[in-house]
Amino acid sequence: MAIIIYEVLRRQVLKRTAAKIKLAGQRTVDTAMTAVLAQLASSVVAQQVSGNLHSAPVADVWGRGVMAFEYVLKTPGMTAVDLPEVRRILNNHLQAYARDEQLTAFQNAGPALRVTDTWLRDGELHVDVAYLMNEATLEYLEDLRRLTAK
C-alpha cells in the first residue's frame, strides 16, 4: 500500500512540476510575441494583425514537455501568398528578441524561438512558435522536419 501511495504522490509532483515549466515557457513565448508585434506595429504585416494575443499549447499530441504554442490573430486582407514573408519576418524578430534576452536553445540547436508553422483559416492567421528549451521540443522540431520532407 505504501508503494502505491508513494507512486501516486510522485506522479502528482512530477505532473505539477511539468505544468509549471510549461507555463513558464508559455509566458516567455507570449512576452516575445507581444514584443515582436509591438516592434512591427508600423509594418504592413502588423497593420493586418489585430486582436488580443493568446496562446495555446499545440504539442499535446507529441508528448509532454514540448514547448510549442499556437497564436490565432485576426488578419483581414492577408492571403496565403503573404505567409512565407510573414514567417520570415516573425522568425527574424523572434531570433533578435531571443538574442537580446539571452534565451538559449537546448544544446545550442540554433535559435531559441522559432516559427514552426503558419496558415490562414477564416481570415485568421495561425502561427505556431516553438521555444527550444528542452530535448522534447528539439525532437518535436525534428519530427516536423521529417513530416515536411515527405
Side-chain angles (χ1 to χ4, degrees):
M1 188 67 155
I3 293 172
I4 293 172
I5 292 172
Y6 169 77
E7 279 300 313
V8 168
L9 291 175
R10 186 180 70 82
R11 286 183 183 175
Q12 289 299 323
V13 168
L14 290 175
K15 197 185 254 185
R16 191 173 304 129
T17 303
K20 285 180 184 179
I21 291 169
K22 186 173 228 168
L23 184 59
Q26 188 171 7
R27 284 183 185 147
T28 299
V29 178
D30 286 351
T31 302
M33 282 294 288
T34 300
V36 164
L37 290 176
Q39 286 176 356
L40 294 173
S42 63
S43 76
V44 173
V45 170
Q47 288 174 1
Q48 291 178 318
V49 173
S50 64
N52 293 332
L53 192 64
H54 174 73
S55 65
V58 297
D60 291 337
V61 173
W62 299 92
R64 276 199 258 209
V66 175
M67 299 294 164
F69 308 98
E70 178 184 5
Y71 297 88
V72 180
L73 307 163
K74 302 250 185 263
T75 53
M78 190 174 283
T79 64
V81 174
D82 299 324
L83 292 177
E85 183 67 10
V86 168
R87 187 174 180 160
R88 186 189 66 75
I89 290 169
L90 288 175
N91 263 325
N92 289 344
H93 280 80
L94 284 169
Q95 289 171 18
Y97 177 88
R99 187 177 51 250
D100 293 345
E101 296 297 316
Q102 299 177 348
L103 300 175
T104 56
F106 178 74
Q107 295 182 346
N108 294 318
L113 298 172
R114 265 183 230 180
V115 174
T116 58
D117 200 4
T118 55
W119 72 95
L120 288 172
R121 184 173 48 213
D122 300 327
E124 295 178 325
L125 172 65
H126 295 252
V127 179
D128 289 353
V129 179
Y131 178 18
L132 273 72
M133 66 180 288
N134 59 23
E135 185 175 8
T137 307
L138 183 59
E139 289 172 356
Y140 165 76
L141 287 181
E142 289 170 2
D143 288 346
L144 285 179
R145 233 177 274 136
R146 281 189 215 118
L147 286 173
T148 18
K150 290 183 179 180

